[in-house]
Amino acid sequence: MSFYNLNHIRELEAESIFVIREVAAQFENPALLFSGGKDSIVMTHLAVKSFYPAKIPFPLLHIDTGHNFPETLKFRDSLIERIGARLIVGSVQESIDKGRAVEEIGHNASRNAIQTITLLDTIEQYGFDAAIGGGRRDEEKARAKERFFSHRDSFGQWDPKNQRPELWKLFNGRKAQGEHFRVFPLSNWTEMDIWQYVLLEQIKMPSLYFSHSRECVKRSGVLLAKSDYISLMDGEKWEKMQVRFRTIGDMSCTGATISDASTIEQIIEEVAASRYTERGTRADDKRSETSMEDRKREGYF
């Protein structure tokens, strides 16, 4: 059984490398947003290939909410050491301590929304004029409105009605003082493309993506993993399940999926058969029909 179309995957790879090199050519101080999820890992792999044998000429930027999976942070540090990249970490806890952000309270509290404040503060602190993100158009309807080069105003806000045309792969990176761009080299990739590329390139992935036994609770249709950031409500209980994660974010809002897929090939087969999007397991996306677009307008990834 063939698990990928080689020509299709290589075309996507070439397009993404072209976009990443355009960022290096057009901007003075870019950064690559790194979450520890599969998309940012693939994007980092593409950045390494874009400039090899030289090292990546810009830092990786991780916004640490303080609610990360331990496996994510361990993988992040191992990857940074292996490729010799520079890592900058923006701390949501520090934003809370400084009074820049107010933490939510209650059983469904999450730091997902307030990480935007930390991101914008970190971009301003280091003077980044471009932030390369791993968003894909198939993830969520708001992300389908993005261009490769997505303009942000001096407040870090996004206007989906004011996107610049990108005919013939010509990217307009002109900006005024204080403005910046979000750049999405994986725009034309799908979840399936990501996993096929991971298989083709033999890219290491965090253990969270593979089937394992974990205690979870089902809340509002989402399986939340046991952690210090989740308190049980009346009638709820932790149950041991065989799960894996299709997307990785905060432990407080990232849902697991029941799965026995323990290899990349099995994950590809599972994704091919799935009728649900990967972000269907994210509790933060279920708060409203426009939750992602509202956050993006405010400066989210």
Side-chain angles (χ1 to χ4, degrees), residues 97-301:
D97 294 341
K98 290 180 177 179
R100 291 282 297 148
V102 178
E103 187 159 23
E104 294 180 359
I105 58 174
H107 286 287
N108 295 313
S110 168
R111 289 184 172 183
N112 198 61
I114 61 175
Q115 67 180 308
T116 297
I117 296 169
T118 307
L119 172 63
L120 294 177
D121 284 351
T122 307
I123 288 175
E124 182 177 5
Q125 177 185 351
Y126 288 90
F128 294 127
D129 54 1
I132 308 171
R136 307 188 325 266
R137 288 173 181 158
D138 72 317
E139 285 183 271
E140 202 275 341
K141 57 187 177 183
R143 285 185 166 164
K145 299 179 181 180
E146 290 281 14
R147 297 286 199 269
F148 281 99
F149 276 35
S150 182
H151 175 262
R152 296 297 198 272
D153 65 19
S154 57
F155 296 100
Q157 296 175 326
W158 171 65
D159 181 1
K161 295 181 180 180
N162 190 29
Q163 295 286 293
R164 300 176 180 182
E166 295 180 338
L167 305 175
W168 306 292
K169 292 293 188 293
L170 296 175
F171 304 121
N172 183 354
R174 292 186 178 181
K175 55 182 173 46
Q177 182 69 30
E179 298 177 344
H180 72 277
F181 277 79
R182 306 290 172 81
V183 181
F184 301 99
L186 303 181
S187 287
N188 288 330
W189 296 58
T190 65
E191 182 185 12
M192 177 65 79
D193 295 329
I194 292 292
W195 284 114
Q196 290 174 334
Y197 187 67
V198 168
L199 177 63
L200 177 62
E201 294 284 294
Q202 293 295 294
I203 302 172
K204 293 181 180 179
M205 285 284 146
S207 59
L208 292 167
Y209 282 115
F210 303 94
S211 179
H212 60 283
S213 179
R214 186 180 289 264
E215 287 187 275
C216 299
V217 62
K218 188 170 185 178
R219 179 178 298 172
S220 301
V222 177
L223 294 179
L224 296 174
K226 187 175 183 179
S227 73
D228 295 336
Y229 319 117
I230 298 174
S231 57
L232 293 178
M233 301 170 66
D234 290 342
E236 292 183 337
K237 64 178 182 178
W238 299 113
E239 297 181 59
K240 187 160 286 189
M241 305 176 184
Q242 198 69 20
V243 301
R244 75 176 192 86
F245 294 87
R246 290 178 67 182
T247 178
I248 297 177
D250 278 5
M251 295 189 76
S252 58
C253 63
T254 302
T257 182
I258 301 294
S259 174
D260 291 320
S262 58
T263 67
I264 301 296
E265 291 85 351
Q266 289 172 344
I267 290 174
I268 290 173
E269 291 178 344
E270 185 177 272
V271 170
S274 177
R275 293 298 175 265
Y276 299 94
T277 65
E278 62 192 292
R279 291 198 69 93
T281 62
R282 292 290 290 264
D284 50 321
D285 285 350
K286 296 180 180 293
R287 295 193 172 193
S288 77
E289 291 186 1
T290 61
S291 57
M292 173 63 82
E293 182 157 337
D294 292 341
R295 280 178 284 154
K296 285 180 65 64
R297 286 177 183 271
E298 295 169 358
Y300 187 68
F301 298 160

